[in-house]
Amino acid sequence: MSGASTPIRSTDQRQLDLSGLNISSDDGPLVPEEAPKINIAREKLLEEAKKAIDAQNVNNKRGVSLVVIGHVDAGKSTLMGRLLYELGRIDEKTKSANERGSNKAGKSSFSWAWGLDGTAEERERGITMDIAVQSLTTPRRQITILDAPGHKDFIPNMISGASQADCALMVVDAATGEFEAGFDRGGQTREHLILVRSLGVSQVIIAVNKLDQVQWNQGRYDDICSLLRPFLVQSGFHPSKTKFVPVGAMQGVNLLSREGADSNTLREWYDGPTLVNLLDELEPPMRDIDAPLRIPISNIFKGQSSGVAVSGRLCAGVVQVGERLRILPGDETALVRMIEVEEANAPWAAAGSNVTLYLTAIDSVHLVIGNVLCLPTDPIPLATVFTARIIVFDIQVPITAGTSVELFHHSRDLPATISKLISIIDRATGKELKANPRVLAKGVSAEVQISLRSSTLSGPSAVTRAIPLEPFAVNKDMGRVLIRRGGETISAGKPIA
């Protein structure tokens, strides 16, 4: 990778970065706060974190993050809203308020979805637009839920959510014609599965929803499963890590149980696990807490009293209250005033956690979604040009040198160019099959050079912004990129240099 210094950005660009985040760069001068104190030395902190993780393993209450994906209107938010209610995470008062509000808005069927779709625009349009974060507990797992939008216009937000997840819950609509719309070429069922696998998710649960609309027909359920199984294998999911479950989100059928009249027909032909049973069996991956700290910022908002708060997934390492963190790209640092994990204050957080950090000694204009927090002693490299090994998906137009694309890395997307086609390689062995190819067709694996482009108009003031990036061999979570062109995901890659 080749590095680049942090660009000088205009006031207009800063305002653009801050828009919609409820932050103003005109909030006035920073008020000095008493600096929080570090509780324990870093060596002791690592020991404590390892002991805590070992204790979780013994007590079988391990944490795992789950992104909920699927085609638009498959019932993702409705399913999760109903599940949170069944598990006691949404109380009767909130449920009644959502029912009254959705009825008043003429959208009574969206009342369960309102438990996750919280913004006025999402409720008015009846679709999820941004990532909604919730948490739930099963007998053996503490699960962070990332409810992703299904509409193709909001794919960047879906990618941001998927990059923070360990596992995926794919919701498909069993209604006649609806499953086909999601699974046909251009449907989000197909694209979402490819995206999450490319971002490192290896475990997926397929919830076949709205079976009540086809009278709980077993043949329809079996047909959907038989169509999805070969595609899942083709996309890189191992059959042992893919599970299927029939559900009825609106009635709460087979989420926690199969009791009640609504489940009578399903009980005649299905005696397998419920959705919660399958969630309880999800296996958290190994956490790399010894690696340098890496926290890509996925959201920025005002702190509870003063300062600014950021949220994101802790990809590697451990962070504690009182530590000073470097923000890259840039030359700024901030102090960690408070840490929240699963909506509770914590003295520290380790790799794998979805955290909110309340920061002090930093002006909000220096924070941008996609920036990475790290320790000043272990900064993440910055790159404007890098080499990656990519897999080309099922594309209609081949990739050539000079192809303009959108590059996605965690919550950041930037204009880029595939500036050089280095070689076509064997996917299994990595051996070079052809040097300097003219084009890359669908299905091939290749090494390419990717160059970032300026996100502003060309001219003397145009500056190419570097991104924090590490080779896949160094840090798997920080070493994955997605490449899109014309609203379609055309490739996924791993930086190698």
Side-chain angles (χ1 to χ4, degrees), residues 243-301:
K243 308 292 182 183
F244 291 82
V245 60
V247 297
M250 288 292 286
Q251 304 84 8
V253 174
N254 207 36
L255 304 187
L256 241 66
S257 67
R258 287 187 293 277
E259 299 173 359
D262 290 326
S263 304
N264 286 344
T265 308
L266 178 62
R267 283 197 299 269
E268 292 175 6
W269 56 268
Y270 182 80
D271 61 358
T274 64
L275 175 59
V276 168
N277 293 150
L278 293 180
L279 293 175
D280 200 47
E281 294 173 3
L282 292 172
E283 279 299 319
M286 293 293 292
R287 310 299 188 189
D288 193 0
I289 66 173
D290 289 311
L293 179 68
R294 303 288 185 255
I295 310 175
I297 297 174
S298 62
N299 203 359
I300 308 169
F301 46 95

Short mmCIF file of all heavy atoms in Angstrom, two decimals, residues 243-301:
data_model
loop_
_atom_site.label_atom_id
_atom_site.label_comp_id
_atom_site.label_asym_id
_atom_site.label_seq_id
_atom_site.Cartn_x
_atom_site.Cartn_y
_atom_site.Cartn_z
N LYS A 243 -28.70 -22.74 8.26
CA LYS A 243 -29.89 -23.35 8.87
C LYS A 243 -31.14 -22.69 8.32
O LYS A 243 -31.15 -21.49 8.03
CB LYS A 243 -29.87 -23.20 10.40
CG LYS A 243 -28.59 -23.67 11.08
CD LYS A 243 -28.42 -25.18 11.00
CE LYS A 243 -27.15 -25.63 11.74
NZ LYS A 243 -26.92 -27.08 11.61
N PHE A 244 -32.22 -23.47 8.19
CA PHE A 244 -33.49 -22.95 7.69
C PHE A 244 -34.56 -23.10 8.76
O PHE A 244 -34.56 -24.09 9.51
CB PHE A 244 -33.93 -23.72 6.45
CG PHE A 244 -33.07 -23.47 5.24
CD1 PHE A 244 -31.86 -24.14 5.07
CD2 PHE A 244 -33.46 -22.56 4.27
CE1 PHE A 244 -31.07 -23.90 3.96
CE2 PHE A 244 -32.67 -22.32 3.15
CZ PHE A 244 -31.47 -23.00 2.99
N VAL A 245 -35.47 -22.14 8.83
CA VAL A 245 -36.54 -22.20 9.83
C VAL A 245 -37.79 -21.50 9.27
O VAL A 245 -37.70 -20.39 8.73
CB VAL A 245 -36.10 -21.56 11.17
CG1 VAL A 245 -35.72 -20.10 11.01
CG2 VAL A 245 -37.16 -21.73 12.24
N PRO A 246 -38.97 -22.14 9.36
CA PRO A 246 -40.21 -21.49 8.93
C PRO A 246 -40.76 -20.62 10.06
O PRO A 246 -40.79 -21.03 11.22
CB PRO A 246 -41.14 -22.67 8.65
CG PRO A 246 -40.66 -23.76 9.56
CD PRO A 246 -39.18 -23.54 9.76
N VAL A 247 -41.18 -19.39 9.73
CA VAL A 247 -41.70 -18.48 10.75
C VAL A 247 -42.89 -17.68 10.21
O VAL A 247 -43.06 -17.54 8.99
CB VAL A 247 -40.63 -17.48 11.25
CG1 VAL A 247 -39.47 -18.19 11.92
CG2 VAL A 247 -40.13 -16.60 10.12
N GLY A 248 -43.67 -17.16 11.14
CA GLY A 248 -44.72 -16.20 10.83
C GLY A 248 -44.54 -15.01 11.76
O GLY A 248 -44.94 -15.07 12.93
N ALA A 249 -43.91 -13.96 11.26
CA ALA A 249 -43.51 -12.85 12.13
C ALA A 249 -44.70 -12.15 12.75
O ALA A 249 -44.70 -11.84 13.95
CB ALA A 249 -42.66 -11.85 11.34
N MET A 250 -45.74 -11.85 11.97
CA MET A 250 -46.87 -11.08 12.49
C MET A 250 -47.55 -11.80 13.64
O MET A 250 -47.92 -11.18 14.65
CB MET A 250 -47.88 -10.82 11.37
CG MET A 250 -47.42 -9.79 10.33
SD MET A 250 -47.31 -8.11 10.99
CE MET A 250 -49.03 -7.69 11.10
N GLN A 251 -47.72 -13.12 13.53
CA GLN A 251 -48.39 -13.90 14.58
C GLN A 251 -47.42 -14.43 15.64
O GLN A 251 -47.85 -14.98 16.65
CB GLN A 251 -49.15 -15.08 13.97
CG GLN A 251 -50.17 -14.72 12.91
CD GLN A 251 -49.55 -14.57 11.53
OE1 GLN A 251 -48.37 -14.88 11.33
NE2 GLN A 251 -50.33 -14.07 10.58
N GLY A 252 -46.11 -14.27 15.41
CA GLY A 252 -45.13 -14.78 16.36
C GLY A 252 -44.97 -16.29 16.31
O GLY A 252 -44.52 -16.91 17.27
N VAL A 253 -45.28 -16.90 15.16
CA VAL A 253 -45.24 -18.35 15.04
C VAL A 253 -43.80 -18.84 14.85
O VAL A 253 -43.09 -18.36 13.96
CB VAL A 253 -46.12 -18.83 13.87
CG1 VAL A 253 -45.96 -20.33 13.64
CG2 VAL A 253 -47.58 -18.49 14.13
N ASN A 254 -43.39 -19.78 15.69
CA ASN A 254 -42.10 -20.46 15.63
C ASN A 254 -40.92 -19.51 15.88
O ASN A 254 -39.80 -19.78 15.47
CB ASN A 254 -41.89 -21.18 14.29
CG ASN A 254 -40.94 -22.38 14.43
OD1 ASN A 254 -40.95 -23.07 15.45
ND2 ASN A 254 -40.12 -22.60 13.43
N LEU A 255 -41.18 -18.41 16.58
CA LEU A 255 -40.09 -17.57 17.03
C LEU A 255 -39.54 -18.12 18.34
O LEU A 255 -38.37 -18.47 18.44
CB LEU A 255 -40.55 -16.12 17.21
CG LEU A 255 -41.20 -15.44 15.99
CD1 LEU A 255 -41.44 -13.97 16.28
CD2 LEU A 255 -40.37 -15.62 14.75
N LEU A 256 -40.42 -18.19 19.35
CA LEU A 256 -40.06 -18.79 20.63
C LEU A 256 -40.66 -20.18 20.80
O LEU A 256 -40.10 -21.04 21.46
CB LEU A 256 -40.54 -17.88 21.77
CG LEU A 256 -39.47 -17.32 22.70
CD1 LEU A 256 -38.57 -16.37 21.93
CD2 LEU A 256 -40.10 -16.59 23.87
N SER A 257 -41.86 -20.36 20.20
CA SER A 257 -42.57 -21.62 20.38
C SER A 257 -43.54 -21.82 19.22
O SER A 257 -43.70 -20.95 18.36
CB SER A 257 -43.35 -21.60 21.71
OG SER A 257 -44.41 -20.64 21.64
N ARG A 258 -44.21 -22.99 19.24
CA ARG A 258 -45.25 -23.29 18.24
C ARG A 258 -46.56 -23.58 18.94
O ARG A 258 -47.29 -24.51 18.60
CB ARG A 258 -44.82 -24.48 17.36
CG ARG A 258 -43.73 -24.14 16.38
CD ARG A 258 -43.45 -25.29 15.43
NE ARG A 258 -42.88 -26.45 16.10
CZ ARG A 258 -41.59 -26.59 16.39
NH1 ARG A 258 -40.75 -25.62 16.08
NH2 ARG A 258 -41.15 -27.68 16.99
N GLU A 259 -46.86 -22.78 19.95
CA GLU A 259 -48.11 -22.94 20.69
C GLU A 259 -49.18 -22.05 20.08
O GLU A 259 -48.87 -21.07 19.40
CB GLU A 259 -47.91 -22.58 22.16
CG GLU A 259 -46.89 -23.48 22.87
CD GLU A 259 -46.57 -23.00 24.27
OE1 GLU A 259 -47.14 -21.96 24.67
OE2 GLU A 259 -45.76 -23.65 24.94
N GLY A 260 -50.43 -22.38 20.33
CA GLY A 260 -51.53 -21.54 19.86
C GLY A 260 -52.09 -22.00 18.52
O GLY A 260 -51.47 -22.76 17.77
N ALA A 261 -53.28 -21.48 18.22
CA ALA A 261 -54.01 -21.91 17.03
C ALA A 261 -53.29 -21.53 15.74
O ALA A 261 -53.38 -22.25 14.73
CB ALA A 261 -55.42 -21.29 17.04
N ASP A 262 -52.56 -20.41 15.75
CA ASP A 262 -51.87 -19.97 14.53
C ASP A 262 -50.80 -20.97 14.09
O ASP A 262 -50.38 -20.95 12.92
CB ASP A 262 -51.21 -18.60 14.76
CG ASP A 262 -52.22 -17.47 14.87
OD1 ASP A 262 -53.26 -17.56 14.19
OD2 ASP A 262 -51.97 -16.53 15.65
N SER A 263 -50.36 -21.82 15.00
CA SER A 263 -49.28 -22.77 14.68
C SER A 263 -49.78 -24.17 14.35
O SER A 263 -48.97 -25.06 14.07
CB SER A 263 -48.31 -22.87 15.88
OG SER A 263 -47.81 -21.61 16.24
N ASN A 264 -51.09 -24.35 14.35
CA ASN A 264 -51.63 -25.71 14.16
C ASN A 264 -51.15 -26.36 12.88
O ASN A 264 -50.67 -27.50 12.88
CB ASN A 264 -53.17 -25.67 14.18
CG ASN A 264 -53.71 -25.45 15.58
OD1 ASN A 264 -52.99 -25.63 16.57
ND2 ASN A 264 -54.99 -25.08 15.68
N THR A 265 -51.26 -25.65 11.75
CA THR A 265 -50.90 -26.24 10.46
C THR A 265 -49.40 -26.51 10.39
O THR A 265 -48.96 -27.54 9.88
CB THR A 265 -51.32 -25.31 9.31
OG1 THR A 265 -52.69 -24.97 9.46
CG2 THR A 265 -51.10 -25.98 7.97
N LEU A 266 -48.60 -25.58 10.92
CA LEU A 266 -47.15 -25.79 10.89
C LEU A 266 -46.76 -27.01 11.70
O LEU A 266 -45.87 -27.78 11.29
CB LEU A 266 -46.43 -24.54 11.43
CG LEU A 266 -44.90 -24.63 11.52
CD1 LEU A 266 -44.29 -24.82 10.14
CD2 LEU A 266 -44.32 -23.39 12.18
N ARG A 267 -47.40 -27.24 12.83
CA ARG A 267 -47.06 -28.38 13.69
C ARG A 267 -47.29 -29.72 12.99
O ARG A 267 -46.68 -30.73 13.36
CB ARG A 267 -47.85 -28.33 15.00
CG ARG A 267 -47.34 -27.33 16.01
CD ARG A 267 -47.88 -27.62 17.40
NE ARG A 267 -49.33 -27.55 17.46
CZ ARG A 267 -50.04 -26.45 17.76
NH1 ARG A 267 -49.39 -25.34 18.04
NH2 ARG A 267 -51.35 -26.47 17.77
N GLU A 268 -48.16 -29.72 11.99
CA GLU A 268 -48.47 -30.98 11.29
C GLU A 268 -47.27 -31.50 10.51
O GLU A 268 -47.14 -32.71 10.29
CB GLU A 268 -49.65 -30.76 10.33
CG GLU A 268 -50.97 -30.51 11.05
CD GLU A 268 -52.09 -30.17 10.06
OE1 GLU A 268 -51.85 -30.26 8.84
OE2 GLU A 268 -53.20 -29.81 10.51
N TRP A 269 -46.38 -30.58 10.06
CA TRP A 269 -45.27 -31.07 9.24
C TRP A 269 -43.88 -30.61 9.71
O TRP A 269 -42.87 -31.06 9.18
CB TRP A 269 -45.45 -30.65 7.77
CG TRP A 269 -45.62 -29.18 7.50
CD1 TRP A 269 -46.80 -28.50 7.43
CD2 TRP A 269 -44.58 -28.22 7.26
NE1 TRP A 269 -46.57 -27.18 7.15
CE2 TRP A 269 -45.23 -26.97 7.03
CE3 TRP A 269 -43.20 -28.27 7.20
CZ2 TRP A 269 -44.52 -25.79 6.76
CZ3 TRP A 269 -42.49 -27.11 6.93
CH2 TRP A 269 -43.15 -25.89 6.71
N TYR A 270 -43.83 -29.75 10.72
CA TYR A 270 -42.52 -29.26 11.17
C TYR A 270 -42.36 -29.48 12.66
O TYR A 270 -43.20 -29.06 13.47
CB TYR A 270 -42.37 -27.76 10.85
CG TYR A 270 -41.02 -27.18 11.25
CD1 TYR A 270 -39.90 -27.36 10.45
CD2 TYR A 270 -40.85 -26.48 12.45
CE1 TYR A 270 -38.65 -26.85 10.80
CE2 TYR A 270 -39.62 -25.96 12.82
CZ TYR A 270 -38.53 -26.15 11.99
OH TYR A 270 -37.30 -25.65 12.36
N ASP A 271 -41.27 -30.16 13.04
CA ASP A 271 -40.99 -30.38 14.47
C ASP A 271 -39.54 -30.01 14.80
O ASP A 271 -38.97 -30.48 15.78
CB ASP A 271 -41.27 -31.82 14.88
CG ASP A 271 -40.41 -32.83 14.11
OD1 ASP A 271 -39.62 -32.40 13.24
OD2 ASP A 271 -40.53 -34.04 14.38
N GLY A 272 -38.94 -29.14 13.98
CA GLY A 272 -37.55 -28.74 14.16
C GLY A 272 -37.41 -27.59 15.14
O GLY A 272 -38.35 -27.25 15.89
N PRO A 273 -36.24 -26.95 15.15
CA PRO A 273 -35.97 -25.87 16.11
C PRO A 273 -36.77 -24.60 15.79
O PRO A 273 -37.17 -24.36 14.65
CB PRO A 273 -34.47 -25.62 15.95
CG PRO A 273 -34.15 -26.10 14.56
CD PRO A 273 -35.07 -27.24 14.29
N THR A 274 -36.96 -23.77 16.82
CA THR A 274 -37.53 -22.45 16.64
C THR A 274 -36.41 -21.49 16.24
O THR A 274 -35.23 -21.84 16.26
CB THR A 274 -38.20 -21.94 17.93
OG1 THR A 274 -37.17 -21.78 18.92
CG2 THR A 274 -39.26 -22.89 18.43
N LEU A 275 -36.79 -20.26 15.90
CA LEU A 275 -35.77 -19.26 15.55
C LEU A 275 -34.83 -19.01 16.72
O LEU A 275 -33.61 -18.94 16.55
CB LEU A 275 -36.45 -17.96 15.11
CG LEU A 275 -35.51 -16.78 14.82
CD1 LEU A 275 -34.52 -17.13 13.72
CD2 LEU A 275 -36.30 -15.53 14.45
N VAL A 276 -35.38 -18.89 17.93
CA VAL A 276 -34.53 -18.64 19.10
C VAL A 276 -33.60 -19.82 19.37
O VAL A 276 -32.44 -19.62 19.76
CB VAL A 276 -35.39 -18.32 20.34
CG1 VAL A 276 -34.55 -18.36 21.62
CG2 VAL A 276 -36.04 -16.95 20.20
N ASN A 277 -34.07 -21.04 19.13
CA ASN A 277 -33.18 -22.21 19.26
C ASN A 277 -31.96 -22.07 18.36
O ASN A 277 -30.83 -22.34 18.77
CB ASN A 277 -33.91 -23.50 18.89
CG ASN A 277 -35.02 -23.89 19.84
OD1 ASN A 277 -36.00 -24.51 19.45
ND2 ASN A 277 -34.88 -23.52 21.11
N LEU A 278 -32.17 -21.63 17.12
CA LEU A 278 -31.07 -21.49 16.18
C LEU A 278 -30.16 -20.32 16.55
O LEU A 278 -28.94 -20.41 16.41
CB LEU A 278 -31.61 -21.31 14.76
CG LEU A 278 -32.33 -22.51 14.15
CD1 LEU A 278 -32.82 -22.20 12.75
CD2 LEU A 278 -31.43 -23.75 14.14
N LEU A 279 -30.75 -19.21 17.00
CA LEU A 279 -29.93 -18.08 17.45
C LEU A 279 -29.04 -18.51 18.62
O LEU A 279 -27.89 -18.07 18.74
CB LEU A 279 -30.82 -16.92 17.88
CG LEU A 279 -31.63 -16.22 16.78
CD1 LEU A 279 -32.55 -15.17 17.38
CD2 LEU A 279 -30.71 -15.59 15.74
N ASP A 280 -29.57 -19.37 19.47
CA ASP A 280 -28.83 -19.82 20.65
C ASP A 280 -27.64 -20.71 20.29
O ASP A 280 -26.74 -20.90 21.10
CB ASP A 280 -29.79 -20.58 21.58
CG ASP A 280 -29.28 -20.67 23.01
OD1 ASP A 280 -28.84 -19.63 23.55
OD2 ASP A 280 -29.30 -21.77 23.58
N GLU A 281 -27.63 -21.23 19.06
CA GLU A 281 -26.56 -22.14 18.63
C GLU A 281 -25.47 -21.42 17.83
O GLU A 281 -24.48 -22.05 17.42
CB GLU A 281 -27.14 -23.27 17.78
CG GLU A 281 -28.06 -24.22 18.56
CD GLU A 281 -28.75 -25.21 17.64
OE1 GLU A 281 -28.46 -25.18 16.42
OE2 GLU A 281 -29.58 -25.99 18.13
N LEU A 282 -25.63 -20.12 17.58
CA LEU A 282 -24.62 -19.38 16.81
C LEU A 282 -23.28 -19.41 17.54
O LEU A 282 -23.21 -19.24 18.76
CB LEU A 282 -25.06 -17.93 16.61
CG LEU A 282 -26.27 -17.71 15.70
CD1 LEU A 282 -26.71 -16.25 15.76
CD2 LEU A 282 -25.96 -18.13 14.27
N GLU A 283 -22.22 -19.62 16.78
CA GLU A 283 -20.88 -19.73 17.36
C GLU A 283 -20.10 -18.43 17.16
O GLU A 283 -19.79 -18.06 16.02
CB GLU A 283 -20.10 -20.88 16.73
CG GLU A 283 -20.43 -22.24 17.30
CD GLU A 283 -20.10 -22.34 18.78
OE1 GLU A 283 -19.04 -21.82 19.20
OE2 GLU A 283 -20.90 -22.93 19.52
N PRO A 284 -19.77 -17.71 18.24
CA PRO A 284 -18.95 -16.50 18.10
C PRO A 284 -17.56 -16.87 17.59
O PRO A 284 -16.98 -17.88 18.02
CB PRO A 284 -18.88 -15.94 19.52
CG PRO A 284 -20.00 -16.61 20.27
CD PRO A 284 -20.16 -17.95 19.63
N PRO A 285 -16.99 -16.09 16.68
CA PRO A 285 -15.64 -16.37 16.20
C PRO A 285 -14.60 -16.02 17.26
O PRO A 285 -14.90 -15.39 18.27
CB PRO A 285 -15.50 -15.46 14.97
CG PRO A 285 -16.45 -14.33 15.25
CD PRO A 285 -17.58 -14.91 16.03
N MET A 286 -13.37 -16.42 17.00
CA MET A 286 -12.27 -16.07 17.89
C MET A 286 -12.04 -14.56 17.87
O MET A 286 -12.12 -13.92 16.82
CB MET A 286 -10.98 -16.79 17.46
CG MET A 286 -11.03 -18.30 17.63
SD MET A 286 -11.10 -18.79 19.37
CE MET A 286 -9.47 -18.30 19.91
N ARG A 287 -11.75 -13.98 19.03
CA ARG A 287 -11.52 -12.54 19.14
C ARG A 287 -10.03 -12.25 19.25
O ARG A 287 -9.34 -12.85 20.08
CB ARG A 287 -12.25 -11.98 20.37
CG ARG A 287 -13.71 -12.37 20.49
CD ARG A 287 -14.54 -11.88 19.32
NE ARG A 287 -15.96 -12.09 19.54
CZ ARG A 287 -16.89 -11.92 18.62
NH1 ARG A 287 -16.55 -11.53 17.41
NH2 ARG A 287 -18.17 -12.12 18.90
N ASP A 288 -9.57 -11.30 18.44
CA ASP A 288 -8.14 -10.98 18.42
C ASP A 288 -7.88 -9.78 19.35
O ASP A 288 -7.77 -8.64 18.91
CB ASP A 288 -7.71 -10.64 16.99
CG ASP A 288 -6.20 -10.61 16.83
OD1 ASP A 288 -5.50 -10.85 17.84
OD2 ASP A 288 -5.72 -10.37 15.71
N ILE A 289 -7.77 -10.06 20.65
CA ILE A 289 -7.60 -8.96 21.60
C ILE A 289 -6.13 -8.56 21.77
O ILE A 289 -5.83 -7.50 22.32
CB ILE A 289 -8.21 -9.29 22.98
CG1 ILE A 289 -7.47 -10.44 23.66
CG2 ILE A 289 -9.68 -9.60 22.85
CD1 ILE A 289 -7.94 -10.67 25.09
N ASP A 290 -5.19 -9.40 21.29
CA ASP A 290 -3.77 -9.06 21.39
C ASP A 290 -3.31 -8.13 20.28
O ASP A 290 -2.24 -7.54 20.38
CB ASP A 290 -2.92 -10.34 21.37
CG ASP A 290 -3.07 -11.15 22.66
OD1 ASP A 290 -2.95 -10.54 23.74
OD2 ASP A 290 -3.31 -12.36 22.58
N ALA A 291 -4.12 -8.00 19.23
CA ALA A 291 -3.73 -7.18 18.08
C ALA A 291 -3.90 -5.69 18.42
O ALA A 291 -4.58 -5.32 19.39
CB ALA A 291 -4.60 -7.53 16.88
N PRO A 292 -3.27 -4.80 17.63
CA PRO A 292 -3.44 -3.36 17.85
C PRO A 292 -4.90 -2.95 17.76
O PRO A 292 -5.66 -3.48 16.95
CB PRO A 292 -2.61 -2.74 16.72
CG PRO A 292 -1.61 -3.78 16.35
CD PRO A 292 -2.29 -5.09 16.56
N LEU A 293 -5.30 -1.98 18.58
CA LEU A 293 -6.69 -1.52 18.65
C LEU A 293 -7.15 -0.94 17.31
O LEU A 293 -6.48 -0.11 16.72
CB LEU A 293 -6.82 -0.47 19.75
CG LEU A 293 -8.21 0.15 19.93
CD1 LEU A 293 -9.18 -0.88 20.49
CD2 LEU A 293 -8.14 1.37 20.84
N ARG A 294 -8.35 -1.38 16.86
CA ARG A 294 -8.95 -0.86 15.64
C ARG A 294 -10.46 -0.73 15.84
O ARG A 294 -11.14 -1.73 16.06
CB ARG A 294 -8.69 -1.81 14.45
CG ARG A 294 -7.21 -2.09 14.17
CD ARG A 294 -6.50 -0.89 13.56
NE ARG A 294 -5.14 -1.16 13.16
CZ ARG A 294 -4.08 -0.73 13.83
NH1 ARG A 294 -4.22 -0.02 14.95
NH2 ARG A 294 -2.86 -1.00 13.40
N ILE A 295 -10.96 0.52 15.76
CA ILE A 295 -12.40 0.76 15.89
C ILE A 295 -12.86 1.66 14.74
O ILE A 295 -12.75 2.88 14.82
CB ILE A 295 -12.77 1.42 17.24
CG1 ILE A 295 -12.15 0.68 18.43
CG2 ILE A 295 -14.30 1.48 17.40
CD1 ILE A 295 -12.39 1.37 19.77
N PRO A 296 -13.38 1.09 13.65
CA PRO A 296 -13.95 1.93 12.59
C PRO A 296 -15.24 2.61 13.08
O PRO A 296 -16.10 1.95 13.66
CB PRO A 296 -14.24 0.93 11.46
CG PRO A 296 -13.51 -0.32 11.83
CD PRO A 296 -13.43 -0.34 13.32
N ILE A 297 -15.37 3.90 12.84
CA ILE A 297 -16.54 4.65 13.30
C ILE A 297 -17.70 4.43 12.32
O ILE A 297 -17.58 4.67 11.13
CB ILE A 297 -16.22 6.16 13.39
CG1 ILE A 297 -15.13 6.41 14.44
CG2 ILE A 297 -17.47 6.95 13.73
CD1 ILE A 297 -14.66 7.86 14.50
N SER A 298 -18.83 3.96 12.86
CA SER A 298 -20.02 3.75 12.02
C SER A 298 -21.09 4.80 12.25
O SER A 298 -21.99 4.97 11.43
CB SER A 298 -20.61 2.35 12.26
OG SER A 298 -21.03 2.22 13.60
N ASN A 299 -21.02 5.53 13.39
CA ASN A 299 -22.00 6.57 13.67
C ASN A 299 -21.39 7.60 14.60
O ASN A 299 -20.49 7.28 15.40
CB ASN A 299 -23.26 5.97 14.31
CG ASN A 299 -24.49 6.84 14.11
OD1 ASN A 299 -24.40 7.92 13.49
ND2 ASN A 299 -25.63 6.40 14.59
N ILE A 300 -21.87 8.83 14.51
CA ILE A 300 -21.39 9.94 15.35
C ILE A 300 -22.61 10.70 15.86
O ILE A 300 -23.54 10.97 15.09
CB ILE A 300 -20.50 10.91 14.55
CG1 ILE A 300 -19.36 10.16 13.82
CG2 ILE A 300 -19.91 11.99 15.45
CD1 ILE A 300 -18.62 11.02 12.81
N PHE A 301 -22.63 11.03 17.14
CA PHE A 301 -23.76 11.78 17.69
C PHE A 301 -23.31 12.54 18.93
O PHE A 301 -22.20 12.32 19.43
CB PHE A 301 -24.94 10.87 18.01
CG PHE A 301 -24.58 9.60 18.74
CD1 PHE A 301 -24.64 9.52 20.10
CD2 PHE A 301 -24.17 8.48 18.02
CE1 PHE A 301 -24.30 8.36 20.77
CE2 PHE A 301 -23.83 7.30 18.68
CZ PHE A 301 -23.89 7.25 20.05
#
